[in-house]
Amino acid sequence: MKRIAIDMDEVIADANLRFSEWYERDFATRILPSELHGKYFREAVTPEHREHIVQYLHTDGFFKDMAVIEGSQEVIQALAKKYEIFITTAAMEFPTSFVHKYEWLKIHFPFIPWTHIVFCGDKSIIQADYLIDDHVKHFARFSGQGILFTSPHNVHEKWTPRVNNWQEVASLLL
Amino acid sequence: MKRIAIDMDEVIADANLRFSEWYERDFATRILPSELHGKYFREAVTPEHREHIVQYLHTDGFFKDMAVIEGSQEVIQALAKKYEIFITTAAMEFPTSFVHKYEWLKIHFPFIPWTHIVFCGDKSIIQADYLIDDHVKHFARFSGQGILFTSPHNVHEKWTPRVNNWQEVASLLL
């Protein structure tokens, strides 16, 4: 059975929406999706707010209750019948995220056992046939096939295959 | 550069000593090292205490301030000059351990960056040349070479290579 490793933020969990919610809460300004094109959220705000935004990632609760990326639950459940699925997230950079990410997965992806959840940093440690991720940097030393999941920050990256949503993942792998 | 993945409990962190301390605290009885031969700690206590012991693993603080296994710091620091080192621990079973394990590594192994720490469950997800672990079960689907680190519970397991302490790891890999 082939194995698929799947990232969390911006692939199954909507981190940009959380940035947007907290930014609007703190500065009464909404960042429109069109303003995010080609950028990380921190690059779309005025420079004097940038450090404030980066601190969100280290704030307890940021990774709690994030919205689920559309289609991810249904498609991953279908993939799990044909592939071995691991969730592989670079959580090590953000220790405040550990318990929230773990609880989020239990709630939204209850069919993925704890044995198949990985918190890591450098994803070259992952042994899998495919890695679905929004960061091409993780594909450089990955031994399998990287599949780039489109997120505003990576739209200008050149990588094949690229998938724009979970329906395209289903078309590629099912 | 070849890569070594290294387990935590009973390899670099003395979990049996912690079991022993807490057991003596709760039952005023000391389990002698000789009583642990061929057993997990929970198997060395009277059967009516077994469930109490298992709960330690799910108790906040169990994984905090564990003693460092003798020689591990010096030998891993030497190995890090010749190999890429990852710490790979099956922390996913015990969510209360996440932050304590992370902090423990920062204190006792500050030369290992967060990018090279992995919390997982099924270790077949680990891509490495060697895995130093006290559980042979993790070697079954591991693609590299498993190296069994002796712990009381595994003394009757047949596995080659086996190392009895960190000096033997140094002899094998340096």
Side-chain angles (χ1 to χ4, degrees):
Chain A
M1 197 178 230
K2 287 198 171 183
R3 177 181 286 175
I4 307 174
I6 301 171
D7 180 35
M8 282 183 77
D9 299 319
E10 291 305 293
V11 174
I12 63 173
D14 199 339
N16 265 339
L17 180 60
R18 172 54 43 88
F19 273 119
S20 181
E21 291 162 353
W22 282 26
Y23 189 68
E24 190 170 356
R25 176 198 70 191
D26 293 349
F27 298 103
T29 305
R30 187 172 297 179
I31 300 293
L32 300 172
S34 59
E35 296 176 89
L36 278 178
H37 192 79
K39 295 175 181 167
Y40 287 100
F41 196 91
R42 63 181 179 273
E43 298 169 330
V45 301
T46 51
E48 55 266 38
H49 293 164
R50 200 157 292 170
E51 184 48 35
H52 186 90
I53 297 300
V54 171
Q55 285 311 311
Y56 286 168
L57 292 161
H58 301 278
T59 304
D60 190 41
F62 183 80
F63 293 93
K64 192 181 172 185
D65 301 334
M66 277 190 188
V68 178
I69 298 274
E70 195 192 339
S72 60
Q73 289 159 310
E74 300 80 357
V75 174
I76 293 174
Q77 198 145 26
L79 288 169
K81 296 193 175 81
K82 200 175 158 188
Y83 299 89
E84 190 180 21
I85 305 293
F86 278 75
I87 302 297
T88 57
T89 175
M92 280 304 147
E93 195 172 0
F94 311 112
T96 57
S97 77
F98 295 161
V99 169
H100 295 311
K101 279 177 176 272
Y102 181 86
E103 292 297 330
W104 190 92
L105 286 168
K106 273 212 300 192
I107 293 167
H108 300 292
F109 292 84
F111 56 91
I112 294 177
W114 64 263
T115 51
H116 285 56
I117 300 172
V118 183
F119 292 173
C120 59
D122 180 336
K123 290 194 185 177
S124 70
I125 194 68
I126 301 300
Q127 170 87 295
D129 298 287
Y130 303 100
L131 171 59
I132 303 175
D133 208 294
D134 65 317
H135 288 281
V136 290
K137 70 178 179 188
H138 290 310
F139 303 152
R141 294 204 301 156
F142 176 61
S143 59
Q145 173 66 59
I147 298 173
L148 186 62
F149 196 92
T150 296
S151 169
H153 73 81
N154 70 30
V155 293
H156 300 310
E157 295 275 5
K158 289 193 198 324
W159 187 270
T160 303
R162 171 190 284 275
V163 286
N164 293 300
N165 52 56
W166 278 95
Q167 285 64 47
E168 291 190 16
V169 176
S171 300
L172 188 68
L173 294 173
L174 285 176
Chain B
M1 197 179 229
K2 287 199 171 183
R3 177 182 287 176
I4 307 174
I6 302 171
D7 180 35
M8 281 183 79
D9 299 318
E10 290 305 294
V11 175
I12 62 173
D14 199 338
N16 265 339
L17 180 59
R18 172 54 42 88
F19 272 119
S20 180
E21 290 163 353
W22 283 25
Y23 189 68
E24 189 170 356
R25 175 198 70 191
D26 293 349
F27 298 103
T29 306
R30 188 172 296 180
I31 300 293
L32 300 172
S34 59
E35 296 175 88
L36 278 178
H37 192 77
K39 294 175 183 168
Y40 288 101
F41 195 90
R42 62 181 178 273
E43 297 169 330
V45 302
T46 51
E48 56 265 37
H49 293 165
R50 200 159 290 172
E51 183 48 35
H52 185 90
I53 297 300
V54 171
Q55 285 311 312
Y56 287 169
L57 292 161
H58 301 277
T59 303
D60 190 42
F62 183 80
F63 293 93
K64 192 180 173 185
D65 301 334
M66 277 189 188
V68 178
I69 298 275
E70 195 192 337
S72 60
Q73 289 159 310
E74 300 78 357
V75 174
I76 294 174
Q77 197 145 26
L79 288 169
K81 296 194 174 81
K82 199 175 159 189
Y83 299 88
E84 191 181 19
I85 305 293
F86 278 74
I87 302 297
T88 57
T89 175
M92 280 303 146
E93 194 171 359
F94 312 111
T96 56
S97 77
F98 294 162
V99 169
H100 295 311
K101 279 176 175 273
Y102 181 87
E103 293 297 330
W104 190 92
L105 287 168
K106 273 212 300 194
I107 293 166
H108 300 292
F109 291 84
F111 57 89
I112 294 178
W114 63 263
T115 51
H116 286 56
I117 300 171
V118 183
F119 292 172
C120 58
D122 180 336
K123 291 195 185 177
S124 71
I125 194 67
I126 301 301
Q127 169 88 295
D129 298 288
Y130 303 100
L131 171 58
I132 303 175
D133 208 293
D134 63 319
H135 288 280
V136 290
K137 70 178 181 190
H138 290 310
F139 302 152
R141 295 204 300 157
F142 176 60
S143 59
Q145 173 65 59
I147 298 172
L148 186 62
F149 196 93
T150 296
S151 169
H153 72 82
N154 70 29
V155 292
H156 299 311
E157 296 274 6
K158 289 194 196 325
W159 187 270
T160 304
R162 173 191 283 275
V163 286
N164 293 301
N165 51 55
W166 278 95
Q167 284 64 47
E168 290 189 17
V169 176
S171 300
L172 188 69
L173 294 172
L174 284 176

